[in-house]
Each structure stands twice: as structure tokens, then as C-alpha cells.
Amino acid sequence: MIHESAKIHPSAVIEDGVIIGANVTVGPFTYIATGVEIGEGTEVMSHVVIKGPTVIGKDNRIFPFAVVGEECQDKKFSGEATRLEIGDRNVIRESVQIHRGTTQDKGVTVVGNDNLLCVNAHIAHDVVVGNHTHIGNNSILGGHVTVGDYAGVMALSAIHPFCTVGAYSYIGGCSAVVQDVPPYVLAQGNHAKPFGLNIVGLQRNGFEKPELHAIRRAYKEIYRSGKTLAEVKPVLAEMAKDWPSVGRFSELLDNSERGIIR
């Protein structure tokens, strides 16, 4: 079903069963397969491939040669019914690849709202990208990776499968991340190491000095106190009673599969 206000270039190929909302534009030589739903106001430029099942929200911009909703590169994938969900107001730049999930995990890859996925970024199967993130040029999110809200993964960085990049953290360019990056932390290198807190990013997003001081104390407990993580956890839990933002540290430590960068 294609809304009457949608603008579809005559050279675009739209298979049966595609749902296209109001004021959507589809550029020349784009291919949209059965099982795709595109929300109102989204702009799909030329030479884009979108396969499904995929749901794309409102007011997204998808640039040329992006491949969205293709089957994953996991050797275990055998054509199972998996899907991709993309939220609203995302910018998906040239040659970005976003793959559907696998039945070995959640069965769905998720991209939230207001994200910038830069040229040739790769979003693998079962990845969860939060909101307001920046995924840099040629960066790679391996399968099952989670990227928290407001996090940045800069150009040419690679995130190992099953790793978590915490909210408001910042991964410097050309980094190899093989363990979880706690929230708020600056990390860079091969393998990536912590280099303090993303203070500039936190200030830009409205964190005031008292809260920044609490986050800094929590960081020092983890990285500079000499305590084991088992000893640090109750300290963080107590701090989180006054500063819920500190609770993000506790949540990651409790759920980490690969351990945190050291």
C-alpha cells in the first residue's frame, strides 16, 4: 500500500506488499522488497536496497547505496524469519549496511531514534543501537553489540561481537573494542583502554557539576581505587541512591558478558 502523497521515481522497483506512508520520497533505481514498511516523511534516495521484514519509522533520511534489512553474514543463518526495526529521524548515510537479526539471539536488529550512521558504517545482526548516537565512517558494530544512548563510535573503529558501548561514552577513531565500555567513559586504542570521562559530551547533554562529580567518583572507584569489581559494586549501589546516573555503571557491571576495558 503506497500513500497517495508519496513520491516514487518511475525507475524505482517496489514489490507487492510494501507499505509506504504519507509524504515519503523514493529516488531512482531504488529497490524495496516485500515485507518493508516505511513511515511518513522518510526520504529514500537513489540506488538504495531495502529488504524485509523491516519497519522504518518517520522522517528518516537514507542516502544512496545504503543496504537496509539484508540477511546477515552469520554462517548459522538459514533463511529464518528475522527482522529489522528502525525508529524516527535517523540519518543513514551512503553505503551503510544494516542487517536483520538471527534466531540465535533476539531475532531482531534495532536502531532507535535520532542516530547518525556515517558513510559505510556496518550494523551487524542482533545489534541494538539506542538514541542520539553517532556511528562514524567505516566503523563496524559486530553481531549482538549494544550501543547506549548518546554514545559515539568514531571512524574506523570496530566493536567485537557481544560487547556493550555504554551510554554517553565515546570511542576514539581507529579503536578495537573487545570488552565492554562503561557509560560516560572515553576509550581509544587497540585494544581500547579507558582515558577518563567524556566530560565535554556530558556537559553538552545537560549534566551539571554535582552530578559530574558523582560520576567522576564512581569512575575512580572502578579504575583507581585498587578494589576488585566485587568490592566496587556495593559502593556504586550506595552512590546510585543519590545519583541514579551512577546506576548505569552498576547495571553494566552486573550484566557484562565480556568484562570491562581496563
Side-chain angles (χ1 to χ4, degrees):
M1 180 178 69
I2 300 176
H3 194 276
E4 60 184 10
S5 64
K7 297 179 181 179
I8 313 296
H9 192 276
S11 66
V13 177
I14 313 293
E15 291 189 343
D16 293 338
V18 172
I19 300 174
I20 295 180
N23 301 310
V24 169
T25 60
V26 178
F29 305 107
T30 282
Y31 169 67
I32 303 177
T34 300
V36 173
E37 179 177 344
I38 302 176
E40 65 182 57
T42 288
E43 178 184 9
V44 182
M45 301 182 193
S46 68
H47 298 86
V48 174
V49 174
I50 307 177
K51 300 180 74 173
T54 292
V55 176
I56 299 173
K58 301 177 181 178
D59 299 318
N60 296 282
R61 302 185 72 208
I62 305 177
F63 281 70
F65 301 103
V67 179
V68 177
E70 185 57 272
E71 67 180 48
C72 68
Q73 299 176 121
D74 192 318
K75 289 184 177 180
K76 298 185 294 298
F77 183 78
S78 300
E80 297 91 349
T82 59
R83 65 191 193 279
L84 167 65
E85 298 175 0
I86 297 176
D88 303 330
R89 300 176 302 280
N90 296 287
V91 176
I92 300 171
R93 293 299 307 233
E94 297 88 340
S95 301
V96 167
Q97 313 107 43
I98 311 176
H99 291 171
R100 303 194 308 272
T102 65
T103 55
Q104 285 74 34
D105 194 356
K106 302 173 289 295
V108 59
T109 301
V110 178
V111 176
N113 304 317
D114 302 292
N115 298 290
L116 172 59
L117 310 183
C118 293
V119 171
N120 205 39
H122 177 72
I123 313 299
H125 59 88
D126 303 291
V127 165
V128 176
V129 176
N131 306 309
H132 301 279
T133 71
H134 181 145
I135 310 300
N137 296 344
N138 296 286
S139 55
I140 299 171
L141 306 184
H144 318 278
V145 162
T146 298
V147 179
D149 296 346
Y150 294 93
V153 178
M154 295 301 101
L156 296 165
S157 292
I159 315 299
H160 192 283
F162 294 98
C163 284
T164 294
V165 176
Y168 298 94
S169 63
Y170 186 95
I171 311 300
C174 301
S175 295
V177 177
V178 298
Q179 291 182 293
D180 295 345
V181 178
Y184 317 119
V185 167
L186 289 171
Q188 187 168 20
N190 183 5
H191 296 145
K193 297 179 181 179
F195 287 89
L197 294 169
N198 182 19
I199 295 296
V200 173
L202 293 173
Q203 290 172 335
R204 287 175 177 171
N205 285 289
F207 285 73
E208 301 291 344
K209 283 187 177 181
E211 190 168 21
L212 291 175
H213 290 324
I215 291 171
R216 185 178 284 113
R217 291 197 303 273
Y219 178 89
K220 289 180 178 178
E221 282 290 326
I222 296 171
Y223 285 111
R224 298 181 184 174
S225 67
K227 299 175 183 176
T228 66
L229 291 182
E231 294 170 329
V232 167
K233 287 181 181 180
V235 178
L236 297 180
E238 188 64 27
M239 292 177 62
K241 294 178 181 178
D242 296 321
W243 299 102
S245 54
V246 173
R248 288 193 175 100
F249 284 115
S250 298
E251 182 178 355
L252 180 66
L253 294 179
D254 288 340
N255 296 301
S256 178
E257 295 183 26
R258 296 184 57 82
I260 64 171
I261 60 172
R262 305 296 284 178

